Amino acid sequence: MILDVRQVTSAGSNQFEVFGNGTLFFKGNATWFPMGVDKNNKVILTDPNGNIVFQTKYSMIDNLAESSVPFKYLIDGEQKFSQYQVVDASGNEVGAFYDVKKSFLDSRLCISFGDRIIYGYDRELGYREVVSLYENDVQIGQITRSQKVVDNLDRYIVHILPQYDALLPLFAMFTIFYDYSYHNNSGQFVKGTYISKTYTYDYNSKKYNKNFIRNNFGEQEHERLEAFINRKVEMKVGNLTMKQFWIIFGVCWGVAIVVAIMVLMFVAVLSGGFGF
């Protein structure tokens, strides 16, 4: 299955819509104001009618237990950070999202449910940002974000192998949680276009498979994703295109120069008239 996760609001609230095959599957929202205390932050996934499917709950006890021992991963082989429980509409815990550090150079994103764990390995490659999803060292999906963003509205294309379709709500929820964790833009009313072209490398960089989409979803889907990443995005300043901005900028400067010349001429005339 392929999910299209689109942020539709970024000022005052973070709202998302999740589509599959052109159909609205879910809606989501995440905390927008910088609360300062993680327990007050929340991500919620609903059906199209607004009924809660999942929501996060900050795991205060678990986080304190993990953070109380600095460099715990050197002793136990791993250390968890930023743990959030995932609960259903009835408040039952169905899983958890967290970061885990296995060693000094080995950090991973985690989706746990039951006795299973799916690891996410994030990497930036030019205009794309990817999270490669693995279970038992086998890649089962990929989350792709374009680093060409207009008005702080992020968009993700999520590819999941068919045998994992039953977990689509969890993957949709995780994608919104990922955006909340790394691209929240808390408290910003910024309008305009942001384009980033960056590259990251770490211990798990090899987990990214550039042929995963082509091999599992076909050449046409691979080309569609490439077009999404490399699409042209017109730079904007506020609500103005760059062309409009420079036209207005030029006109303003022109007016300013004309006014300055007129003032100088007026001063010169006055100076001459009074014999200076």
Side-chain angles (χ1 to χ4, degrees):
M1 175 61 75
I2 302 170
L3 296 178
D4 187 349
V5 182
R6 303 178 184 181
Q7 186 170 8
V8 295
T9 305
S10 65
S13 63
N14 285 314
Q15 304 290 332
F16 297 82
E17 293 179 347
V18 183
F19 294 86
N21 296 325
T23 300
L24 180 62
F25 280 6
F26 309 104
K27 292 183 178 181
N29 63 76
T31 302
W32 182 70
F33 285 106
M35 304 296 289
V37 181
D38 284 332
K39 69 177 182 179
N40 292 323
N41 293 323
K42 184 176 291 187
V43 177
I44 299 174
L45 185 75
T46 72
D47 65 19
N49 296 317
N51 300 307
I52 291 179
V53 177
F54 293 136
Q55 58 184 317
T56 59
K57 180 180 178 182
Y58 184 68
S59 182
M60 178 73 76
I61 295 176
D62 291 341
N63 281 287
L64 284 175
E66 287 288 305
S67 62
S68 62
V69 182
F71 304 104
K72 180 173 175 287
Y73 61 89
L74 296 176
I75 303 171
D76 295 342
E78 72 172 34
Q79 187 168 9
K80 299 176 182 178
F81 300 92
S82 302
Q83 298 180 77
Y84 284 79
Q85 298 171 350
V86 179
V87 299
D88 61 19
S90 299
N92 301 311
E93 184 178 345
V94 297
F97 300 147
Y98 55 91
D99 297 341
V100 66
K101 198 168 186 65
K102 295 281 190 178
S103 68
F104 182 70
L105 298 174
D106 187 349
S107 298
R108 312 175 187 184
L109 309 172
C110 295
I111 306 171
S112 72
F113 53 102
D115 58 352
R116 299 167 65 181
I117 296 178
I118 292 176
Y119 290 116
Y121 304 93
D122 56 321
R123 187 175 178 187
E124 295 177 11
L125 301 111
Y127 295 128
R128 83 188 66 211
E129 179 179 349
V130 299
V131 179
S132 301
L133 301 172
Y134 280 76
E135 184 176 28
N136 298 324
D137 293 323
V138 176
Q139 187 168 4
I140 58 94
Q142 178 178 296
I143 300 171
T144 307
R145 171 183 176 268
S146 170
Q147 298 212 79
K148 299 178 179 181
V149 181
V150 179
D151 295 342
N152 278 343
L153 298 175
D154 291 305
R155 184 179 176 187
Y156 300 82
I157 307 298
V158 184
H159 292 82
I160 301 297
L161 295 182
Q163 56 267 41
Y164 287 84
D165 280 357
L167 299 175
L168 286 180
L170 195 62
F171 290 121
M173 177 72 165
F174 177 75
T175 303
I176 296 172
F177 178 82
Y178 178 84
D179 186 84
Y180 154 75
S181 300
Y182 294 96
H183 303 289
N184 192 19
N185 302 311
S186 295
Q188 294 183 14
F189 284 95
V190 174
K191 293 289 184 180
T193 302
Y194 176 78
I195 298 177
S196 175
K197 188 175 184 181
T198 54
Y199 294 85
T200 58
Y201 301 91
D202 60 22
Y203 177 80
N204 291 313
S205 290
K206 60 183 178 295
K207 293 294 186 179
Y208 170 66
N209 177 6
K210 66 179 181 179
N211 293 314
F212 176 77
I213 305 300
R214 176 186 284 114
N215 293 342
N216 293 279
F217 296 87
E219 184 64 31
Q220 185 175 356
E221 179 59 21
H222 170 77
E223 293 177 358
R224 187 181 78 91
L225 187 63
E226 292 301 301
F228 163 67
I229 294 299
N230 297 306
R231 72 194 189 283
K232 282 190 174 182
V233 176
E234 189 170 18
M235 293 294 291
K236 298 177 70 177
V237 178
N239 292 322
L240 301 175
T241 65
M242 290 302 295
K243 182 178 180 180
Q244 293 170 330
F245 170 79
W246 285 115
I247 290 174
I248 294 174
F249 181 83
V251 170
C252 290
W253 263 108
V255 170
I257 292 173
V258 170
V259 170
I261 292 173
M262 292 179 65
V263 170
L264 290 173
M265 292 176 63
F266 181 72
V267 170
V269 169
L270 289 178
S271 298
F274 286 96
F276 290 104

